[in-house]
Amino acid sequence: MADHICQQGEPSCDVANGGPQQGYDPTPAEWVPQGTVVADSGFAAIRDSFQFFNYGQRLGSGNALLGYNANEFAAQLTPDSMLRMFGPDVACTHYSKDDSGKETCIPKPAVAEWIDAANNYMWGGHCYGVAALNAQLFNGDLKRSRLTDAQINSAVQLDSKLQGELAYWWTTQMTSNAAEGTLTDPLSVVQTLRDNLQPGKIPYVLVLFFEVEGQQAGHAITPTAVYERANGDFDIAVYDNNFPMRTRAIHVDTSENSYEYLVGAIPGGPQVYSTGDAKNTTIGLAPLTDIQGTLDCPFCAGKEQIVSFGSKQPIPTSVKTDISALDGSEIPGLKKHPNLNPSSGSLPAFRMPPGTDFKVTVDNSASDQPINLFVNTFLGDGTVLDSAPLVPAEAKMTLEVRASERSVSVSSDQPTVARYLQAAVERKGDDYNAWFVADWKDKGSASAPFTLTEVDGVTEYSVGGTDNVRVNVIAQRIRSKGTVPAAHTDSSVLLRPGDKLRVDITEWSGDGGVPELVLERENGSSRSVMMDRGLGPKANVVDPQPAL
């Protein structure tokens, strides 16, 4: 299988937001597959791979040299994506289909938060989506007419339609968790590919894990053939979406049952390799059949409890996370799910049994820059508790979740603010969202928690410490009949330490009116706070569900 010989002046790969830059040069000789072909899908990278480069938040400078706008924001997941992934009963609070076949889905609150969480993770790259979609197009599992009239994959254009499709397939890894469940030893990967690669069929995405400056990262690529070298070792031929239109090799040492792969180079830094063996399993095959059809919802009632992190800025690899039970002990059944984006600096997601109380520390003490985080905590019962903490430079942020109390608290060892706290709740009555948006300039005291608690349609917000904070409130009902009334405070509410601000969705009926909002002072006195209809000017901070 001949490798593509690139010409001088062809573009360099830029995985957006600080990702590794790969030269669009010929594959180095030591990383070209060699030997006798013992299993072959017939995939030719020059013909069958996508022509464009893996990308993140924006399409990036590499794709700009192919004629795309480097600063164009990539298309993201939508409610239609979730309707397709989970079906209307799981995905939608309101679902309808008109006579023309056009479907409308107003997503359930947890589903809308899942969209946000996935979109935040994809800011670092779309490697799993590219690998999964390319293989299925090659296999004929998907109709090319869904994307383009082109007859070959390399001619598919990176337009918004294709970007949305790549976002969809990237997100499937978060539902099946296939990448985590299929890690094995290198020789087992070789044997599985020898048994299952056939002309016109690539049944798997190949996943790799490795470390970048001490932080676990991952990458997803497409296995296309297996070569047996003269010494009895093997090369797995792959299409790596960071190196389009070229064939590269994963070297497998038979005697050691180990492998090595050159992932790429960090700009201005060292080369990054993925290595592993029978004891350190960092390679695996994710079957495409696991992510096809209607998928299981991982965060719905009775499923897993999940906490995920996102940011609309690069997260330095120096930032670390530590998770434990509230008493510092290990969490039974905890699973760590690294983001499959090489060198993206993205923080991992954690999965655990429903009802688990836990705390997560985000350590930014080695950085001189603050981090704006988004943290989604899916309780596994249709409720999501969200926070958007500002992690100061040279500081640590702690998130505590008491699942049994449906409560989340955010604190730091330096003065900071939780930009907003949100409860997104699925109920027997109307579903709802409630946001408490703090004034970014009114930072609380060091170690003072910002706390949110939700109980059966009533959400309570409080601030500890010694400093006052001003807060705006936005509430939104998501009705099964398809309307989404909203309300907001006309001006911010001053909260002193120990005060509580409580919004009651159960006192909100019909499409008009507003919910009850009560300010309870630490001394026990209370008063009602006026709310106006509509989302209000602070809605752009939290990007709520649009009212239809």
Side-chain angles (χ1 to χ4, degrees):
M1 192 179 300
D3 196 40
H4 175 51
I5 306 300
C6 304
Q7 303 301 315
Q8 185 175 5
E10 288 186 308
S12 62
C13 176
D14 177 9
V15 178
N17 294 326
Q21 293 179 338
Q22 319 293 1
Y24 200 74
D25 299 320
T27 301
E30 63 269 30
W31 296 103
V32 173
Q34 297 182 26
T36 302
V37 176
V38 294
D40 193 2
S41 66
F43 184 101
I46 187 66
R47 180 192 67 219
D48 296 314
S49 78
F50 288 131
Q51 188 180 58
F52 52 81
F53 295 91
N54 184 21
Y55 60 93
Q57 168 200 8
R58 303 170 190 261
L59 298 189
S61 59
N63 286 321
L65 293 176
L66 294 172
Y68 299 103
N69 181 352
N71 293 317
E72 178 183 335
F73 283 97
Q76 299 184 317
L77 288 179
T78 66
D80 287 344
S81 306
M82 298 296 95
L83 175 61
R84 172 184 171 192
M85 188 174 292
F86 299 132
D89 291 341
V90 173
C92 312
T93 295
H94 166 80
Y95 171 78
S96 62
K97 187 174 183 179
D98 65 20
D99 294 340
S100 68
K102 178 179 174 55
E103 296 176 298
T104 298
C105 173
I106 299 178
K108 294 179 179 178
V111 173
E113 295 308 307
W114 190 253
I115 292 172
D116 285 345
N119 285 335
N120 281 330
Y121 268 90
M122 281 185 281
W123 281 52
H126 290 74
C127 59
Y128 197 98
V130 178
L133 178 58
N134 193 238
Q136 291 177 96
L137 286 173
F138 175 77
N139 296 343
D141 296 335
L142 297 174
K143 295 180 179 179
R144 288 190 178 91
S145 60
R146 182 181 184 90
L147 306 173
T148 179
D149 292 330
Q151 296 303 304
I152 58 174
N153 291 345
S154 60
V156 174
Q157 295 299 303
L158 187 57
D159 57 18
S160 60
K161 190 174 183 180
L162 179 58
Q163 293 166 31
E165 193 75 6
L166 293 170
Y168 175 89
W169 290 108
W170 185 95
T171 308
T172 60
Q173 67 174 303
M174 298 175 69
T175 60
S176 65
N177 210 18
E180 183 182 54
T182 56
L183 297 181
T184 185
D185 66 282
L187 285 179
S188 293
V189 172
V190 169
Q191 190 59 52
T192 299
L193 291 174
R194 292 188 70 173
D195 291 343
N196 293 282
L197 282 179
Q198 301 176 13
K201 286 293 180 184
I202 299 174
Y204 307 102
V205 170
L206 191 148
V207 294
L208 302 166
F209 290 94
F210 47 92
E211 286 194 352
V212 178
E213 299 179 351
Q215 181 161 298
Q216 191 172 14
H219 193 31
I221 53 183
T222 307
T224 63
V226 178
Y227 290 66
E228 185 171 5
R229 299 171 70 102
N231 62 359
D233 292 342
F234 292 94
D235 281 350
I236 302 174
V238 298
Y239 152 51
D240 185 329
N241 41 78
N242 286 338
F243 302 88
M245 302 180 73
R246 284 159 288 178
T247 303
R248 295 167 60 82
I250 299 172
H251 298 320
V252 178
D253 185 313
T254 302
S255 62
E256 299 291 333
N257 194 3
S258 63
Y259 82 93
E260 182 180 43
Y261 181 67
L262 175 61
V263 178
I266 302 300
Q271 291 184 320
V272 176
Y273 294 87
S274 180
T275 61
D277 53 33
K279 294 182 178 179
N280 178 31
T281 54
T282 55
I283 188 172
L285 296 170
L288 291 173
T289 52
D290 284 358
I291 59 173
Q292 294 171 337
T294 302
L295 303 180
D296 290 335
C297 168
F299 52 86
C300 292
K303 299 297 181 67
E304 292 182 299
Q305 185 170 294
I306 302 170
V307 58
S308 65
F309 299 84
S311 179
K312 295 184 179 180
Q313 68 184 90
I315 299 176
T317 55
S318 61
V319 177
K320 309 298 181 184
T321 55
D322 179 71
I323 186 169
S324 68
L326 293 179
D327 62 4
S329 62
E330 293 185 1
I331 298 173
L334 178 70
K335 293 183 286 186
K336 182 179 180 180
H337 187 35
N339 189 13
L340 286 179
N341 292 318
S343 187
S344 69
S346 296
L347 300 177
F350 297 99
R351 299 169 181 245
M352 64 201 80
T356 301
D357 296 344
F358 67 92
K359 63 180 178 181
V360 177
T361 299
V362 178
D363 187 349
N364 192 37
S365 57
S367 174
D368 61 359
Q369 297 294 322
I371 302 174
N372 291 314
L373 281 184
F374 301 92
V375 187
N376 306 88
T377 303
F378 298 83
L379 296 183
D381 62 358
T383 298
V384 187
L385 301 178
D386 282 357
S387 57
L390 173 66
V391 186
E394 302 176 349
K396 295 181 180 179
M397 183 275 293
T398 300
L399 178 89
E400 292 191 358
V401 173
R402 290 169 172 79
S404 57
E405 300 176 9
R406 298 161 70 87
S407 173
V408 60
S409 294
V410 177
S411 61
S412 175
D413 58 3
Q414 293 187 25
T416 188
V417 65
R419 292 168 292 141
Y420 67 81
L421 294 177
Q422 174 193 359
V425 185
E426 180 181 346
R427 302 174 64 243
K428 290 182 179 178
D430 293 340
D431 299 341
Y432 82 100
N433 289 301
W435 293 268
F436 295 80
V437 184
D439 190 318
W440 293 24
K441 297 179 181 179
D442 288 344
K443 294 184 178 180
S445 309
S447 302
F450 295 80
T451 302
L452 187 75
T453 302
E454 199 285 330
V455 179
D456 195 23
V458 180
T459 300
E460 182 179 271
Y461 175 92
S462 63
V463 179
T466 59
D467 293 339
N468 301 336
V469 174
R470 302 198 71 89
V471 178
N472 292 272
V473 181
I474 303 171
Q476 188 178 55
R477 289 171 62 214
I478 307 168
R479 308 192 66 193
S480 59
K481 73 174 193 176
T483 57
V484 188
H488 70 280
T489 48
D490 187 50
S491 59
S492 60
V493 181
L494 179 67
L495 266 69
R496 304 184 183 97
D499 289 351
K500 298 176 181 179
L501 195 55
R502 187 181 303 112
V503 63
D504 188 346
I505 201 74
T506 65
E507 299 298 322
W508 190 2
S509 61
D511 286 338
V514 295
E516 181 181 66
L517 181 63
V518 175
L519 172 62
E520 182 180 307
R521 295 295 186 191
E522 185 182 22
N523 62 11
S525 64
S526 63
R527 68 176 178 87
S528 295
V529 179
M530 293 296 297
M531 298 191 77
D532 292 337
R533 295 176 61 182
L535 290 172
K538 293 292 182 179
N540 62 339
V541 177
V542 295
D543 191 26
Q545 181 75 266
L548 297 184

